[in-house]
Amino acid sequence: MKRKWLGILICLTLLTGCWDTRQFKDIKLVLAIGFDQNEDGGVTETVSIPTVRRSTEGPANETVQVLTTEGKTPREARDHTDQMIANTFDPSKAKVILMGEELAKNSIQPIFDQFYRNPNNNLNAYIAVVEGKAEDAIRISPPNDPGISKYVSGLLEGQINATHSTGENIEVLHGELLEPGIDFAVPLLKVDKEQNLLNFEGLALFHNDAYSGEFIPNHQTTLLMLLEGIRGKVASFTIKVTDEEENAIRNYLTFRVMRNIQDMKVKVENNQVKVDINVKMKVRVVEYPRNHLTSKKTIIDLNEKLSELLTEQSEEIIAVIQEANSDVFQVGRNVQSYHPDYWKKVNWEEEFPNITIKPTIEVDIVQYGVIS
Amino acid sequence: MSKTTIKTKLSRRQYFFIIVQTEIGVGILSLPYDLHSQAKQDGWISLLIGGVLLQIVLLVIWLIAKRYPDKDFFQINEAVFSKWIGKGISLLYIAYFSMVSMVLLLLFVRLISLWVLPQTPFWILSLLMILVCLYLASGGINVMARFYTFVSVLLIVLLGFVVYSLKDSQIVFLFPILNDGWVPVIKGANEAVLSFFGFIISLVIYSKVEGSPAQRLRTIFYAHWFVVLFYLFTVITSFTFFSTVEMSFIQEPLLYMLKSFDFTIVARLDLFFLSIWVVNVATTLTTYVYMTGLGLTDVFGTKKTTPSYIIAAFIILVPPLFIGYNMERVDQFNNFVVWMGYIFSVAFLFIIYFISLIRGSLQKGGAS
């Protein structure tokens, strides 16, 4: 009996766990954060804080509050936000982090340090660059979605599924920020004030930790992803295969990629880096009003035509990437790994725009729907 | 504790799991970082070198233990060095074991405070931990062995988490191999050896295990290589998941890796991992509490064992309370104990072996 009471007493004193509770009523979860550069070098932080009000009758209604504060560092700006709201600011469930164009062009690493340093933070948050100011993007109120964070994360997820972007989150970004020889591309959004929406413009190319100012426009991003060997749920292309038809629609062919195999070879010959990127795609034609796809010859001709056109486009993309000095294919890391002597000799920053990257794309039509 | 449990010998499977659970402990979280800080991406080679080198020490342990088939480690000390010197040496070992326990406790609480419970005071976490260990250790080696075997299932869960992370790994980060030569790799081997220091348990309880000496040697080696491979796997996963530069910033790579995954139900996998890892820390610490307590019992020749464990737990609990979260002092103390580790877990074993050899041949000479 004595033992039993002792046991109960110990349990009562030790198992209550009063210290580290974080109760939902005490914190304000911030789901979307936007950072902009100030004129004096500081940071402007814009946050969107949703609050759910429960009423006894009817559905709960959610209101969103948007706040903008300034500070010398992101953390100070957050403290300033804290001074303006009733509860404690908690970014541990942030879904979306947006960066203004100017800030991105300067340097983004200092912004993210706080996210890496504190174990509570959510490293899955998506990141994107906004043309103009991030504040404007956070301040739009999309008509159909309950909040900006849901809207932007939905938008970005859609781009990942459609093979338009890599799905860059903060965690992946960390390595890419730090590692020499690896650069990255982040979705670029544009605020459409008239329709109160955001628009996916393309992929902003970064060099080291700054936006180079160049971007891959949204009609070429799928190809860039396939060149990197990444495919979302759907990857489709619409390509003009001929000029012969009068009806403009008949000139185009749309296909979906069913399988793609990417192979990158990095060679160092005579102190010159040569990169071959081969992409083989097995595709399904989903729209081709011009012709029947019955004869083998038509299909072979189309295969050749598509391969040629896509290879040309790839060359354009690579030219932009090299101009931006944004090593998104991780060629530098490959050279460092497999040709360490050469890596030590060269300054990769200067070398990358001058190397030869040769893309080859092979398209193979394997299906053409239920009609021929 | 009934008398039958004392007399039952441990099975070799239990022996295996005791060694494994003792070696895998606090270190597993930071091992990739520690190796990386010395040997960069070649850290896994250091780990293998450390594993192979320790093989020799394990052989010496077996040679010592084989000569005294029915004595535990502290009794061996007395047999080798004569009664009073032997007791003195045993006391040194008790001091060493309790210091290792203190380091374990300090590192454990520091990590929990850093990752999960920033507001909780030091004493409550350390007290909870030591109470669990005391309870388990005072149950005796057989109870511990059963418990260790049982919780080894959790190692598979841990492994499962790590396997899942493999999906994002890039083999390119392991290259170039040996670009900076062998020197950093050898330095890294030092870090690797540290992570195996629990192996001394194989000597302490050798006499309590059934089977022929050869069979037991095999069990020791199996356990050792199981741990080496387990470590190797976690190290290679971390090295390929994080880029080379990134690794040099991340002190607990395994946790950091899991933190980045998000599931519908479990938002933070790292917390799950931590709560399983706590069990591994507890088993390691329990072993040390047990060894400290066993040493006290042997040296002072007490009949009851439980008071020794309580004293041991008390000795282990109090000094860390004065160090607390002070990182610098924890590190200093840690380095000191590491040196002690080399002396007591490696160098001194050779001395014991040679002295026992000399004494053995003298006695033979005297008899003929």
Side-chain angles (χ1 to χ4, degrees), chain B residues 198-211:
Chain B
F199 63 77
I200 192 130
I201 184 68
S202 52
L203 174 59
V204 175
I205 59 166
Y206 180 86
S207 61
K208 299 178 197 290
V209 182
E210 52 110 35

Side-chain angles (χ1 to χ4, degrees), chain B residues 78 81-90 299:
Chain B
E78 287 180 35
F81 294 100
S82 79
K83 192 177 175 191
W84 290 106
I85 300 175
K87 276 191 195 296
I89 287 166
S90 288
V299 169

Side-chain angles (χ1 to χ4, degrees), chain A residues 6-267:
Chain A
L6 194 70
I8 290 173
L9 194 73
I10 289 176
C11 288
L12 278 179
T13 46
L14 292 180
L15 297 179
T16 47
C18 329
W19 271 286
D20 282 284
T21 49
R22 283 198 301 157
Q23 296 200 358
F24 191 60
K25 66 179 168 68
D26 298 333
I27 51 175
K28 285 264 188 239
L29 283 180
V30 172
L31 299 181
I33 310 177
F35 293 106
D36 284 303
Q37 182 93 47
N38 273 349
E39 271 150 26
D40 60 355
V43 173
T44 306
E45 189 179 47
T46 310
V47 295
S48 118
I49 309 170
T51 314
V52 181
R53 287 231 167 72
R54 274 278 147 81
S55 51
T56 43
E57 289 161 29
N61 57 336
E62 198 175 301
T63 52
V64 178
Q65 185 186 14
V66 179
L67 280 178
T68 304
T69 47
E70 292 188 7
K72 287 190 272 300
T73 66
R75 200 56 207 226
E76 199 195 45
R78 184 206 288 194
D79 289 340
H80 288 163
T81 313
D82 248 348
Q83 289 158 4
M84 293 161 74
I85 58 175
N87 310 60
T88 318
F89 179 113
D90 188 352
S92 65
K93 287 278 167 266
K95 270 190 169 164
V96 176
I97 314 246
L98 299 177
M99 297 167 285
E101 197 179 354
E102 211 175 312
L103 177 103
K105 278 183 179 160
N106 189 358
S107 165
I108 62 168
Q109 198 273 335
I111 302 295
F112 286 101
D113 181 76
Q114 54 155 333
F115 291 99
Y116 300 121
R117 206 167 284 282
N118 306 311
N120 280 339
N121 285 322
N122 178 12
L123 293 184
N124 289 304
Y126 290 121
I127 48 175
V129 176
V130 180
E131 264 189 27
K133 278 190 170 268
E135 184 185 341
D136 299 337
I138 301 272
R139 280 195 183 276
I140 67 163
S141 47
N144 286 331
D145 291 282
I148 181 74
S149 65
K150 255 208 183 119
Y151 170 59
V152 180
S153 61
L155 179 78
L156 295 176
E157 248 159 50
Q159 306 311 323
I160 297 165
N161 288 339
T163 323
H164 283 306
S165 90
T166 47
E168 203 74 19
N169 61 21
I170 309 183
E171 146 58 357
V172 178
L173 182 75
H174 197 200
E176 292 167 338
L177 277 175
L178 295 168
E179 192 76 12
I182 297 182
D183 290 320
F184 53 96
V186 165
L188 180 69
L189 303 174
K190 192 177 182 178
V191 183
D192 184 341
K193 275 194 177 143
E194 273 171 32
Q195 297 190 65
N196 216 359
L197 290 172
L198 292 170
N199 197 0
F200 175 72
E201 285 282 284
L203 288 175
L205 295 169
F206 276 68
H207 175 60
N208 286 340
D209 73 337
Y211 174 31
S212 60
E214 307 271 348
F215 68 96
I216 304 289
N218 54 15
H219 62 91
Q220 285 184 328
T221 43
T222 313
L223 191 55
L224 174 62
M225 288 299 104
L226 293 178
L227 284 169
E228 286 186 40
I230 299 164
R231 183 163 61 92
K233 283 188 181 127
V234 182
S236 71
F237 290 93
T238 301
I239 290 173
K240 193 175 191 182
V241 283
T242 176
D243 292 322
E244 288 166 14
E245 299 289 328
E246 271 177 37
N247 183 336
I249 300 172
R250 283 172 177 266
N251 286 330
Y252 288 87
L253 182 146
T254 304
F255 66 84
R256 277 189 176 183
V257 181
M258 296 165 67
R259 253 187 86 200
N260 64 306
I261 302 165
Q262 181 252 20
D263 179 38
M264 184 171 90
K265 286 209 174 69
V266 179
K267 280 180 288 186

Side-chain angles (χ1 to χ4, degrees), chain B residues 23-39:
Chain B
E23 287 191 13
I24 298 177
V26 174
I28 179 115
L29 292 181
S30 58
L31 176 66
Y33 173 78
D34 294 336
L35 289 174
H36 194 273
S37 64
Q38 295 292 340

Side-chain angles (χ1 to χ4, degrees), chain A residues 20 116 121 124 179 333 337, chain B residues 120 172 243-244 256 259-260:
Chain A
D20 282 284
Y116 300 121
N121 285 322
N124 289 304
E179 192 76 12
R333 193 61 183 77
S337 283
Chain B
T120 310
V172 74
S243 77
T244 312
Y256 221 87
K259 190 163 121 61
S260 58

Side-chain angles (χ1 to χ4, degrees), chain B residues 45-266:
Chain B
I45 305 176
S46 310
L47 184 74
L48 282 177
I49 293 175
V52 172
L53 286 179
L54 278 181
Q55 190 89 27
I56 302 165
V57 181
L58 289 174
L59 199 67
V60 172
I61 282 182
W62 176 72
L63 287 171
I64 297 171
K66 200 174 64 145
R67 297 176 68 88
Y68 305 95
D70 41 55
K71 287 189 165 64
D72 68 35
F73 176 60
F74 301 101
Q75 291 158 344
I76 292 174
N77 274 341
E78 287 180 35
V80 174
F81 294 100
S82 79
K83 192 177 175 191
W84 290 106
I85 300 175
K87 276 191 195 296
I89 287 166
S90 288
L91 274 178
L92 288 179
Y93 266 97
I94 292 166
Y96 165 64
F97 290 147
S98 55
M99 280 194 293
V100 175
S101 319
M102 291 173 209
V103 170
L104 289 177
L105 205 58
L106 284 165
L107 294 178
F108 163 76
V109 179
R110 173 164 99 181
L111 200 111
I112 291 291
S113 153
L114 214 58
W115 279 82
V116 203
L117 307 169
Q119 316 276 331
T120 310
F122 184 90
W123 66 268
I124 194 103
L125 291 172
S126 49
L127 180 71
L128 281 172
M129 192 61 176
I130 204 82
L131 279 181
V132 170
C133 297
L134 172 63
Y135 181 54
L136 195 53
S138 60
I141 190 73
N142 291 71
V143 175
M144 279 164 58
R146 276 179 231 141
F147 181 73
Y148 286 12
T149 312
F150 170 65
V151 296
S152 292
V153 178
L154 295 175
L155 287 179
I156 300 172
V157 182
L158 287 191
L159 215 56
F161 286 157
V162 181
V163 168
Y164 179 77
S165 328
L166 271 179
K167 75 182 175 72
D168 286 342
S169 63
Q170 284 178 289
I171 203 81
V172 74
F173 292 138
L174 283 184
F175 291 91
I177 292 173
L178 289 178
N179 195 30
D180 301 326
W182 282 97
V183 180
V185 178
I186 304 294
K187 276 187 191 159
N190 168 41
E191 298 288 336
V193 171
L194 303 184
S195 56
F196 295 109
F197 267 158
F199 63 77
I200 192 130
I201 184 68
S202 52
L203 174 59
V204 175
I205 59 166
Y206 180 86
S207 61
K208 299 178 197 290
V209 182
E210 52 110 35
S212 72
Q215 284 172 327
R216 279 183 271 183
L217 179 67
R218 233 176 284 146
T219 309
I220 296 176
F221 282 176
Y222 288 157
H224 177 62
W225 283 100
F226 176 85
V227 177
V228 173
L229 292 179
F230 191 87
Y231 281 166
L232 189 67
F233 184 66
T234 55
V235 166
I236 287 189
T237 313
S238 321
F239 281 14
T240 51
F241 186 89
F242 295 109
S243 77
T244 312
V245 181
E246 196 182 6
M247 260 309 288
S248 57
F249 287 89
I250 294 173
Q251 294 175 27
E252 286 91 27
L254 284 182
L255 287 178
Y256 221 87
M257 190 159 80
L258 296 172
K259 190 163 121 61
S260 58
F261 299 124
D262 188 17
F263 299 98
T264 329
I265 303 173
V266 184

